[in-house]
């Protein structure tokens, strides 16, 4: 992608010489023909090479650059543009999909996944290998579930959610009643609700509520 084109997509001001941008690199490990997002202009003196710069004001003596209002936001957008995520589609022959499951368009279910009865997987859902989704779960449009995730029955996940490897949603909470005769476990009959655009990091656990819902807001 050309630097001038990228400036338009970032909503920034292009200046200097246009050229092909091959990616993003850090000031500590610069690579030729890449964008460097520069907050500390003191580092510019140490950078000698064929680079482009993104900063919050114009830099002197550089080949080409982009001026933006929000450096971190522009970095986030540039990474999305220059390193787009790609995900497969289709249902593996090695997955198990029980009766009554509703599957939308462009859905991926990988090897050795289990999808319980009555589940809903909306358009664009991606479920990576070795994931268990219990009965009557709902997974919203465009959600990505990375490998080895466990969703207990009746878990509700909104759209655009990212659930990383090792996450467990919907296990029992710590519910016990201690009596003179011993400890009595309270059966958890609630569920977990994850609203739209949440990201859950690897190996996170979210327990279901005793009666109602444990909810992670949008």
């Amino acid at each position: 992608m050309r630097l001038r084109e990228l400036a338009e997509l970032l909503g920034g001001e292009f200046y200097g010489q246009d050229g092909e941008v091959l990616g993003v690199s850090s000031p500590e490990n610069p690579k030729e023909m890449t964008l460097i997002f520069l907050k500390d202009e003191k580092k510019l003196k140490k950078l000698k090479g064929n680079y482009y710069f993104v900063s919050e004001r114009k830099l002197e003596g550089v080949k080409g650059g982009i001026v933006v209002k929000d450096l971190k936001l522009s970095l986030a957008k540039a990474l999305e543009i220059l390193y787009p995520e790609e995900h497969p589609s289709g249902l593996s022959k090695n997955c198990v999909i029980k009766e009554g499951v509703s599957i939308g368009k462009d859905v991926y279910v990988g090897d050795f996944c289990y999808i319980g009865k009555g589940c809903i997987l909306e358009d664009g859902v991606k479920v990576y290998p070795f994931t268990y989704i219990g009965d009557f779960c709902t997974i919203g449009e465009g959600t990505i579930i990375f490998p080895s995730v466990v969703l207990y029955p009746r878990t509700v996940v909104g759209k655009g959610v990212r659930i990383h490897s090792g996450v467990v949603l919907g296990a029992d909470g710590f519910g016990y009643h201690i009596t003179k005769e011993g400890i009595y476990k309270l059966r958890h009959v609630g569920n977990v609700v994850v609203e739209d655009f949440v990201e859950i990091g690897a190996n996170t656990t979210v327990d279901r509520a005793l009666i109602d819902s444990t909810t992670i807001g949008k």
Side-chain angles (χ1 to χ4, degrees), residues 186-199:
L186 297 172
R187 184 184 177 199
H188 287 64
V189 297
N191 72 336
V192 168
V193 176
V194 180
E195 295 184 350
D196 298 345
F197 308 117
V198 170
E199 183 162 13

Side-chain angles (χ1 to χ4, degrees), residues 30-161:
K31 296 179 176 62
E32 292 283 312
M33 304 294 290
T34 61
L35 279 181
I36 296 176
F37 286 75
L38 201 62
K39 185 73 173 178
D40 183 0
E41 294 183 22
K42 295 178 182 178
K43 295 181 180 181
L44 184 60
K45 297 178 181 179
K46 300 179 181 180
L47 295 168
K48 306 298 181 183
N50 189 13
Y51 317 122
Y52 304 109
F53 292 91
V54 182
S55 57
E56 293 177 348
R57 70 181 189 90
K58 284 187 179 181
L59 303 175
E60 297 294 332
V62 302
K63 179 180 179 180
I66 304 171
V67 177
V68 297
K69 294 181 179 179
D70 188 328
L71 197 66
K72 198 67 173 286
L73 178 60
S74 297
L75 173 60
K77 291 180 178 179
L79 292 172
E80 287 183 349
I81 293 166
L82 296 172
Y83 303 93
E85 268 193 354
E86 296 182 1
H87 298 282
S89 295
L91 309 180
S92 168
K93 294 184 292 185
N94 297 318
C95 69
V96 175
I97 298 178
K98 305 301 283 188
E99 65 274 10
V101 173
S102 173
I103 297 178
K105 300 175 183 177
D106 191 33
V107 168
Y108 167 65
V109 179
D111 290 342
F112 310 112
C113 290
Y114 177 96
I115 312 295
K117 65 183 179 181
C119 287
I120 299 172
L121 277 61
E122 295 184 354
D123 294 350
V125 167
K126 310 295 181 182
V127 183
Y128 277 83
F130 299 101
T131 290
Y132 169 90
I133 298 178
D135 296 346
F136 304 110
C137 288
T138 299
I139 314 297
E141 180 181 351
T143 286
I144 301 170
I145 300 177
F146 290 98
S148 302
V149 169
V150 173
L151 271 56
Y152 277 65
R154 296 178 293 106
T155 297
V156 177
V157 178
K159 67 181 180 181
V161 174

Side-chain angles (χ1 to χ4, degrees), residues 154-175:
R154 296 178 293 106
T155 297
V156 177
V157 178
K159 67 181 180 181
V161 174
R162 292 168 66 88
I163 302 176
H164 290 277
S165 296
V167 167
V168 178
L169 302 181
D172 284 356
F174 194 79

